[in-house]
Amino acid sequence: MKRLIIAIVIGTALYSRLVGVSWGLPYPMHPDERNMAVAVQSLKLSENLNPHFFAYGQLPLYIAYVFIQISNVVLFGKFANTISFESATIALRYISVLSSWASLWIIYRILRDFFSDYIDRKFLPFILIPFIFSPYAIQFAHFGTTESLLTSMYLGILYVSLRIGITKVITTRSVLLLGIIGGLSIGTKISSATFLGLPIVVIVWVLLKTRKKMSDFMMYFAKTLMILSITSMLFSLIASPHMLLSPVDFLSSITYESKIASGAIQVFYTRQFLYSIPIVYQLVYIFPVALGMGVYLLFFGGFFLLSWKDSRFLILRSGFLLYFIPSSLLFVKWTRFEAPVLPIAAIVGILFLCKILFKIHKSKVRFALLVIALLLISIHGFAYLSVYRNVDVRFQASEWMFKNIPEQARVFSEAGNVINIPVPVGAFIQNSPNLSVVNFDFYQVDYDNLLQKDLTRAMQESNYIVVPSRRIMGSVTCSLPNTRNSIGYASKRCSELMRLFPVTNEYYDKLLSGELGYSEIKRFTAYPKIEVFGKTLIEFPDEQYDETWSVFDHPVIRIYKRT
């Protein structure tokens, strides 16, 4: 029975990360994934594998490149001279899948090795259920980006830090391992240098506990820090050599990305963060939907109510706060920025649940309640699988448009999404109707009189309007439900957005009220849901949360027709 349960858990974990792994292809649905895939395509041995792309490090690009070449040799007996976008994307997604599996294994080891007094070992396979069905883990495993890889690395650092903190023994091997993981993290994304904050804090704490003399403390700390720093630097350069080989391009890219992150440079895709409140924004618009509300509430309880004297929980809290606070204080607050600490939050939440149930002395009752609770808090994540099991919502909308909008009709849509719709899909790949679609630049219309005139003319001439996602409407207006005077933003946000973007706000207000002369005739959603025989039992609408949570893999698409 135990082996059967373990096999079911492993099989479920495999399925949850692999189902629909080719979603959206052959189209580029995620901007970061697209940029990384294009960088993989550009890798050439004759150019020293220079990716000409430095927003991220080279490690995931090189892994994807090697994976593609090995696959090509196995399947076709030769190296690939050219790499297709689809191959690059799938290779990057498999890195995320493998990293997500690695994260599950490290979480299992953390719970087994350090919290056996909270979790009966025979319950461990069941304890993994909410981690398997974590919405964030499922989503990031389906994105060919760096989030899953970085998350597994931070969990690795957390594991080693816990061992050092609990045993109060700092070995050269442990420090070298931390340096290697830290270096590979930096080689994946330069900002992950902050990962090393946790082991440094733990090392200082252990040395203060074990070294009575200040001279001993300083000597051992200097030695340990030197080993950690040199190892990290060495492996970051091994993983991402063009930080050194292409210093001008690297520094230019990092400077630009840093200015965007801090808000020194504001670009169109960061406008949703105008007047957002640091820390509060993440707690309102990211954590509830990324963790699932059940795990999120348990995390809050565990963070404040679990022991403040137990070094294990102090290390978990430190691991969370040392990354969460600096990342939350940035101007940009994308969901992906919180990826490394989401599993830590889940671990704290699950341990708090176990502590609550531990008070029940009858083993069978405790076990039954535990399983029920774990299943309930996993429903959101299980529902999230529907996003990848079903046909991409943009394909659904495109097919409907081809079937229901006459070819001679004029369609008005929005530019700035990763891909414009309609896209040829299904039966329409070869012979798609020639719809006349104008993708209008709303990001500049408030500053350009000519664009404003074009907008007025388009409203007079168009037959249909398509709102392909919430990217514009949710960023510079308060038109979406639950966004007016909402927690997480300054109270002046709506009035300031109307002042800064008057044309855009007027357009959406009139469109949604019907004053513009159009009425909504179709809405396509792909909210996470659980269906039985085609009937939806439960659904989790999540459009009002952080933009990047939904717009890449399940945006809401609205279609309006002139009345």
Side-chain angles (χ1 to χ4, degrees):
M1 179 60 69
K2 182 180 179 181
R3 291 179 179 177
L4 176 62
I5 292 172
I6 292 174
I8 291 173
V9 169
I10 293 173
T12 304
L14 296 177
Y15 174 77
S16 67
R17 303 307 191 258
L18 283 173
V19 61
V21 74
S22 61
W23 69 277
L25 290 175
Y27 301 103
M29 298 301 194
H30 190 299
D32 294 311
E33 180 181 73
R34 176 198 60 197
N35 293 337
M36 292 180 67
V38 170
V40 172
Q41 288 183 276
S42 72
L43 293 176
K44 293 181 176 62
L45 291 174
S46 59
E47 297 180 3
N48 297 319
L49 295 178
N50 187 341
H52 305 287
F53 174 70
F54 296 96
Y56 299 111
Q58 288 103 64
L59 180 62
L61 309 180
Y62 290 164
I63 295 174
Y65 180 81
V66 170
F67 177 80
I68 291 168
Q69 295 297 358
I70 291 175
S71 300
N72 220 63
V73 169
V74 172
L75 294 174
F76 307 109
K78 61 179 181 179
F79 289 106
N81 293 321
T82 59
I83 297 173
S84 67
F85 175 80
E86 293 92 328
S87 296
T89 302
I90 286 293
L92 289 167
R93 289 181 184 177
Y94 276 131
I95 294 172
S96 294
V97 168
L98 292 171
S99 299
S100 192
W101 289 340
S103 293
L104 283 171
W105 171 248
I106 298 170
I107 289 169
Y108 168 80
R109 290 294 303 269
I110 288 173
L111 296 174
R112 188 196 72 177
D113 295 351
F114 306 129
F115 295 96
S116 57
D117 54 331
Y118 275 77
I119 300 171
D120 191 322
R121 184 165 291 193
K122 64 177 178 288
F123 292 168
L124 263 176
F126 299 95
I127 296 294
L128 289 178
I129 292 174
F131 296 101
I132 292 172
F133 293 113
S134 291
Y136 75 86
I138 293 171
Q139 184 185 79
F140 292 146
H142 285 80
F143 291 171
T145 54
T146 60
E147 280 67 56
S148 287
L149 183 57
L150 289 173
T151 299
S152 65
M153 291 176 175
Y154 196 47
L155 282 170
I157 288 174
L158 175 66
Y159 180 91
V160 180
S161 299
L162 278 166
R163 184 168 292 283
I164 291 174
I166 292 169
T167 62
K168 294 183 176 57
V169 175
I170 305 171
T171 64
T172 302
R173 179 181 177 184
S174 296
V175 177
L176 286 172
L177 182 57
L178 288 168
I180 291 170
I181 300 174
L184 295 178
S185 302
I186 297 169
T188 300
K189 188 178 180 182
I190 190 71
S191 61
S192 61
T194 56
F195 286 7
L196 294 174
L198 175 61
I200 290 174
V201 167
V202 172
I203 288 168
V204 168
W205 179 73
V206 170
L207 288 176
L208 288 174
K209 288 281 187 179
T210 58
R211 306 295 171 184
K212 302 301 181 182
K213 294 181 180 180
M214 182 55 66
S215 58
D216 287 346
F217 168 82
M218 295 301 296
M219 181 182 68
Y220 280 100
F221 178 67
K223 175 185 175 183
T224 303
L225 187 61
M226 182 179 67
I227 295 172
L228 182 64
S229 301
I230 292 175
T231 307
S232 299
M233 188 179 302
L234 176 62
F235 276 85
S236 66
L237 292 175
I238 292 173
S240 193
H242 279 276
M243 290 193 296
L244 189 62
L245 298 177
S246 306
V248 175
D249 292 340
F250 168 69
L251 291 175
S252 174
S253 177
I254 293 304
T255 301
Y256 176 73
E257 296 294 338
S258 298
K259 288 181 177 179
I260 290 177
S262 66
I265 297 177
Q266 292 189 14
V267 291
F268 71 90
Y269 51 86
T270 64
R271 287 179 178 175
Q272 65 163 318
F273 304 119
L274 290 171
Y275 308 106
S276 59
I277 302 173
I279 297 178
V280 180
Y281 180 92
Q282 287 85 353
L283 296 178
V284 172
Y285 290 104
I286 294 177
F287 279 76
V289 71
L291 290 170
M293 189 56 74
V295 176
Y296 180 54
L297 294 176
L298 287 169
F299 160 64
F300 252 105
F303 187 88
F304 292 106
L305 298 178
L306 287 172
S307 173
W308 285 86
K309 296 180 180 180
D310 191 325
S311 61
R312 297 172 299 176
F313 294 115
L314 291 177
I315 293 171
L316 288 178
R317 290 187 182 97
S318 299
F320 179 85
L321 293 175
L322 287 169
Y323 180 88
F324 173 69
I325 291 178
S327 67
S328 298
L329 296 178
L330 295 172
F331 171 75
V332 295
K333 303 172 181 68
W334 293 306
T335 298
R336 62 186 175 86
F337 277 17
E338 303 308 322
V341 296
L342 289 170
I344 299 179
I347 290 171
V348 171
I350 298 306
L351 289 172
F352 182 59
L353 173 64
C354 291
K355 180 181 180 181
I356 294 172
L357 295 177
F358 192 74
K359 295 180 180 180
I360 300 174
H361 297 294
K362 293 184 178 180
S363 178
K364 291 183 179 180
V365 175
R366 183 169 68 244
F367 175 70
L369 290 176
L370 177 64
V371 172
I372 292 171
L374 292 174
L375 291 175
L376 287 175
I377 63 177
S378 301
I379 287 176
H380 193 156
F382 182 76
Y384 204 87
L385 295 175
S386 67
V387 173
Y388 305 110
R389 283 201 305 259
N390 297 324
V391 176
D392 188 279
V393 67
R394 284 153 293 205
F395 294 168
Q396 297 177 38
S398 296
E399 190 163 337
W400 185 92
M401 290 173 68
F402 287 136
K403 288 181 178 179
N404 295 279
I405 297 179
E407 283 196 53
Q408 66 274 16
R410 293 177 178 269
V411 182
F412 182 77
S413 188
E414 304 169 357
N417 288 273
V418 183
I419 185 170
N420 296 319
I421 58 173
V423 293
V425 293
F428 302 101
I429 289 179
Q430 298 298 328
N431 299 300
S432 59
N434 186 24
L435 294 181
S436 176
V437 181
V438 173
N439 294 295
F440 187 77
D441 184 5
F442 273 100
Y443 292 106
Q444 299 299 323
V445 68
D446 288 282
Y447 315 116
D448 192 321
N449 290 330
L450 290 177
L451 281 177
Q452 293 171 21
K453 293 178 181 179
D454 291 343
L455 177 60
T456 301
R457 183 169 57 252
M459 291 303 93
Q460 296 170 350
E461 298 175 352
S462 298
N463 306 109
Y464 295 85
I465 293 177
V466 177
V467 180
S469 76
R470 56 148 288 171
R471 291 205 80 171
I472 299 170
M473 181 167 57
S475 296
V476 299
T477 81
C478 288
S479 301
L480 277 175
N482 304 320
T483 59
R484 190 174 294 276
N485 298 323
S486 58
I487 300 172
Y489 287 101
S491 58
K492 65 179 181 178
R493 176 179 182 251
C494 292
S495 60
E496 286 297 302
L497 290 180
M498 292 181 68
R499 180 182 65 83
L500 293 171
F501 310 104
V503 175
T504 306
N505 274 269
E506 182 182 15
Y507 166 78
Y508 280 107
D509 286 344
K510 289 184 176 181
L511 175 63
L512 297 179
S513 67
E515 188 179 347
L516 203 59
Y518 294 80
S519 60
E520 184 177 332
I521 59 170
K522 192 70 176 177
R523 182 179 298 194
F524 293 89
T525 65
Y527 297 135
K529 60 185 177 181
I530 295 175
E531 292 180 305
V532 176
F533 301 117
K535 184 178 180 180
T536 300
L537 299 182
I538 187 170
E539 188 174 63
F540 296 93
D542 54 7
E543 187 186 24
Q544 73 272 25
Y545 290 95
D546 177 63
E547 173 188 300
T548 57
W549 177 257
S550 62
V551 296
F552 300 143
D553 59 355
H554 63 289
V556 175
I557 300 170
R558 299 169 172 86
I559 300 177
Y560 299 81
K561 183 178 181 180
R562 180 185 291 278
T563 54

